[in-house]
Amino acid sequence: MLQTSTRSRIKVYYELTKPRIWYLLVFTAFGAAVTASNVYDVEVSIYTWVLVIMAVASGSAAANTITNYRDRDIDSVMTRTQSRPIPSKRITPGSAKKFGLLLALIAIILTSLLSYTTTIINGILATFFMCIGLFDNIIVYSYLLKRKSKLNIILGGFSGAAPSMIGYVAVTTEGLFTLGLIIGGLVFIWIPMHIWALALHYKKDYNKVDVPMLTSIISERAATRVISFTTMMMVSFSITPFFIQINGQTAIGLVYLITAIISGIVITTLSLMAIVKPLEKKAWLLFKFSNPYLAILFIALMLGSI
């Protein structure tokens, strides 16, 4: 009986962290680290890999947990979120907050430990990006902008790019302001399309709690145009890694360019289809494809960097 109770408790805490979100973010960190390792021929120790994966998982889980704590009032009203651990009363707000803060502390400690498996500079930069990511997601997006600004997700998007930057700088600082920022930029530019497609699908829910997500407060026609525009921006930006030159040679090979073009055509087509009725259903289809799309790009980055 005690084992069952313990397992149930662990399951609730695990659910609180929104694992489907941090799985993808951990993958972007891993993909960025593999790409940097391949491009600059850096041998990465097993300890560095473990620290990067655990740190990003802890940091992302921390941000999700604390934002769940912050949004507990509106989550209890929105149909989509009523079954989450806090509004469903499977965990107390105080316990959730303490757990989130503990995870954040663990994440910061783990990134600082990278100074011992790489160099002090690598560790400092990784810790810096971890702190920026946590601050941006929890303070800037969740506490300051989410309920006040229709452009909330744009500034809040820096936190989504932080994991890939952590993965990159854990391996090398070379090319940080070229290839590194571009890899982080892939996630940053991807986020508005991803979130705005979701917000359009759950428009009534967001309006019910007065959260001014851009695509939930404008007309569906205008919303789908915004989503299509940001999708085309993202697809255009996605080909830029192919044009990065290292010592006169292309850093990311043709396999990446071909993948970016093909997947870009698919997701652009889905975004344009959203302009044609039924609008909301097409936006939901776009949202469902957006996660695999980002994963495909990072897989192509890793393969293209070999």
Side-chain angles (χ1 to χ4, degrees), residues 9-174:
R9 199 69 178 162
I10 291 172
K11 185 178 178 181
V12 170
Y13 276 96
Y14 177 71
E15 183 184 339
L16 184 67
T17 65
K18 300 181 185 176
R20 284 184 294 180
I21 294 177
W22 62 257
Y23 283 169
L24 181 60
L25 294 177
V26 168
F27 186 71
T28 63
F30 176 77
V34 170
T35 302
S37 173
N38 289 339
V39 169
Y40 292 101
D41 195 24
V42 178
E43 185 175 344
V44 183
S45 74
I46 185 65
Y47 303 107
T48 297
W49 286 120
V50 171
L51 286 174
V52 167
I53 291 170
M54 289 181 63
V56 173
S58 299
S60 303
N64 292 336
T65 299
I66 296 172
T67 53
N68 267 340
Y69 166 78
R70 160 65 171 163
D71 290 340
R72 63 193 184 280
D73 56 337
I74 61 176
D75 280 352
S76 64
V77 177
M78 295 174 71
T79 304
R80 178 176 70 93
T81 57
Q82 286 175 342
S83 62
R84 285 178 177 173
I86 299 177
S88 63
K89 301 188 186 304
R90 287 177 290 143
I91 190 171
T92 64
S95 296
K97 182 181 180 181
K98 290 175 184 176
F99 181 57
L101 291 173
L102 176 61
L103 286 173
L105 178 61
I106 290 171
I108 293 170
I109 291 172
L110 290 174
T111 48
S112 67
L113 288 176
L114 285 166
S115 294
Y116 296 95
T117 66
T118 53
T119 70
I120 291 177
I121 295 298
N122 292 89
I124 289 173
L125 285 173
T127 306
F128 169 76
F129 284 118
M130 177 62 75
C131 292
I132 288 294
L134 288 169
F135 180 80
D136 183 61
N137 187 279
I138 297 168
I139 305 300
V140 176
Y141 173 66
S142 187
Y143 276 84
L144 297 180
L145 297 179
K146 183 173 181 179
R147 307 189 191 195
K148 296 177 182 178
S149 171
K150 62 185 178 182
L151 298 177
N152 46 30
I153 198 59
I154 294 179
L155 286 178
F158 287 107
S159 58
S164 58
M165 298 303 297
I166 292 168
Y168 190 95
V169 299
V171 173
T172 183
T173 58
E174 289 189 77

Side-chain angles (χ1 to χ4, degrees), residues 20 194 197 283-293:
R20 284 184 294 180
H194 175 73
W284 181 241
L285 181 62
L286 177 64
F287 169 78
K288 297 292 281 186
F289 181 69
S290 62
N291 278 354
Y293 168 78

Side-chain angles (χ1 to χ4, degrees), residues 217-275:
I217 61 174
I218 59 179
S219 71
E220 286 190 347
R221 178 71 65 182
T224 52
R225 287 174 179 168
V226 167
I227 293 169
S228 293
F229 176 72
T230 54
T231 301
M232 287 186 279
M233 278 184 59
M234 177 185 64
V235 170
S236 298
F237 184 79
S238 73
I239 67 171
T240 56
F242 176 74
F243 298 100
I244 295 295
Q245 297 280 314
I246 306 291
N247 297 325
Q249 295 185 331
T250 301
I252 308 296
L254 194 60
V255 65
Y256 175 79
L257 180 64
I258 293 171
T259 304
I261 291 173
I262 293 173
S263 58
I265 289 172
V266 174
I267 201 166
T268 299
T269 300
L270 290 174
S271 73
L272 293 175
M273 284 170 59
I275 297 177

